[in-house]
Amino acid sequence: MVADLSINSENMKVQQKEKMITQLRLFMLDEDPSIQHNAVLALGRLVEHSEELARIVVKKDILHQLIWSIPSQPHHYKKATVFVLHAVAKHSPELSQAVVDSGGLDILVSCLGAVDPEVKEAAAWALAYIAQQNTMLSQAVVDAGAASLLLSLHTNDLDREEVNTGTIALLKQMIRSPDVKLKRQVLFTLIQISKHSVELAEMVIAAYIFPDVMICLQDPDEYVKKDVITLMWEVVKHSAQLSQVIVNCDGLVEVVDYLDKSRGSMRLPGIMMLGYVASHSENLAMAVILSKGLQQLAICLSEEDEDHIKEATVWSIGQIGHHTPEHANAVATAGLLPKLLQFYTGASSLEDLRLKSKKALKNILLKCTHLPSLEPLLSNAPSNILNHVLGQFSKVMHHDSEACQEFVMSGGLSKIQEMDAEPGSAQRKLINSIKSCIQEASANLSGKCRILKKFHMQPLCDVPLQVCSSI
């Protein structure tokens, strides 16, 4: 009855609660194990939301009594006792220090090795609350050998120390647990370790933990899967070498499959992972394309409405397309250039989305040689983008007479002739350059066609000879 009452004890006076704590201490010494367990459970519930009551527990020296009793008790009692330590430590550095001074660290570390996953989880939470209070307590937790499920929020050096104490080896064992909450904690800890530096990410890779991590992608829990993808993102962002390791573990295939099955903000880590892999090298960017990563990013861009997801997707597309003409052409033939232009010029686009779209578009245009994909931009691109488009037409058509022919047949020549470019401007020079390319190609083509006509043979194209000559 006391344990149930303590769940909703907001209306009880502090004096009543203090008397209850005194009574609970006596119940904890009862011969009946169920009474002991309920007494500890009620105690945890009382102090969880009251720093004043937590101080009373410390003052009455109840922590020593609890800690002394843990080793001989069954798992459900251990879980309840660890919950009390957690409930006391969470309130302040002073109360966390009281738990440490009572010998709580050694007991909590021993509970990390318990068979029961719920006891492990409870111990992990208690240690995490102690470690997060300040650097000194974090170091005390690490020195006690409890780094296995903790993340440091204070310094890089402390994270390195955690890993050196064998953290990842224990995390590797715990990732196989069927307990979903424990998996989330383990993955979250790995994410925090990996994000800080190349050295720490390499330590995670060196532990061969990813085969076990990849299995978690089959977990029915959506957040476990998201954490796996986030871990990959935090690893690959550091270097091409680390990215290659993840690619070799079929990481790209798994991410593309994850994006296909996810929606909304759950897609974000996968989108970022593809972008970081592609950013490191031409080969890795091509691996993203070949794994249908670009195709999946195009789907995300068409389906998602949130600006931050659009921004991430645009950034990743830019990382894929900026390397070589082959990469840029892959983006162009996926029909993404008009979309990027729309985000750049759209009045409803936020400034960040506009800037990312502009940068991605320019970088891709500088490498793109697939002229049919560029032609739609001639109609509605602003002058700063249009100059890049015209520049690519001029560059390609200078060496490709067939491209000149296709440009005329598609109506591209008519479009540039209609442009109102200032005499002497960069845009006018590019337009003149394109016309010059067409004239040169047409002269060569019409000459060949006249020879063919003389021998009653089929001309080289469908352009009437007199039109070709007039160009």
Side-chain angles (χ1 to χ4, degrees), residues 159-203:
D159 276 313
R160 193 171 293 112
E161 177 64 24
E162 288 180 6
V163 177
N164 290 337
T165 59
T167 304
I168 300 175
L170 185 53
L171 291 172
K172 185 177 179 180
Q173 296 175 355
M174 301 180 85
I175 197 69
R176 301 168 185 169
S177 168
D179 186 81
V180 171
K181 290 183 179 179
L182 186 58
K183 279 183 186 178
R184 288 186 191 175
Q185 286 189 21
V186 171
L187 288 167
F188 183 66
T189 303
L190 287 169
I191 290 166
Q192 298 305 314
I193 291 172
S194 300
K195 73 191 289 186
H196 283 298
S197 69
V198 176
E199 180 183 355
L200 291 176
E202 287 174 345
M203 288 182 181

Side-chain angles (χ1 to χ4, degrees), residues 33 42 51 71 77 93 158 174 184 228 233 327 354 408 446 452:
E51 182 175 345
Y77 182 92
L158 193 56
M174 301 180 85
R184 288 186 191 175
V228 172
W233 164 20
H327 296 82
R354 285 169 52 84
V408 174
S446 62
L452 292 172

Side-chain angles (χ1 to χ4, degrees), residues 363-383:
N363 288 338
I364 294 166
L365 288 176
L366 289 172
K367 296 292 174 64
C368 184
T369 58
H370 190 260
L371 301 188
S373 297
L374 296 179
E375 197 165 319
L377 305 185
L378 292 173
S379 302
N380 53 2
S383 59

Side-chain angles (χ1 to χ4, degrees), residues 429-450:
K429 290 177 182 178
L430 288 168
I431 292 172
N432 291 339
S433 174
I434 293 172
K435 286 182 178 180
S436 176
C437 292
I438 293 173
Q439 288 168 355
E440 184 179 342
S442 297
N444 294 333
L445 188 61
S446 62
K448 293 176 183 177
C449 287
R450 290 181 192 281

Side-chain angles (χ1 to χ4, degrees), residues 189-238:
T189 303
L190 287 169
I191 290 166
Q192 298 305 314
I193 291 172
S194 300
K195 73 191 289 186
H196 283 298
S197 69
V198 176
E199 180 183 355
L200 291 176
E202 287 174 345
M203 288 182 181
V204 171
I205 290 290
Y208 298 103
I209 201 169
F210 267 91
D212 292 313
V213 168
M214 291 298 191
I215 294 173
C216 293
L217 287 170
Q218 309 305 318
D219 197 282
D221 185 80
E222 295 301 317
Y223 288 95
V224 168
K225 289 186 277 194
K226 182 183 179 183
D227 286 345
V228 172
I229 303 299
T230 303
L231 176 58
M232 284 195 268
W233 164 20
E234 294 294 351
V235 170
V236 302
K237 74 179 185 182
H238 291 295

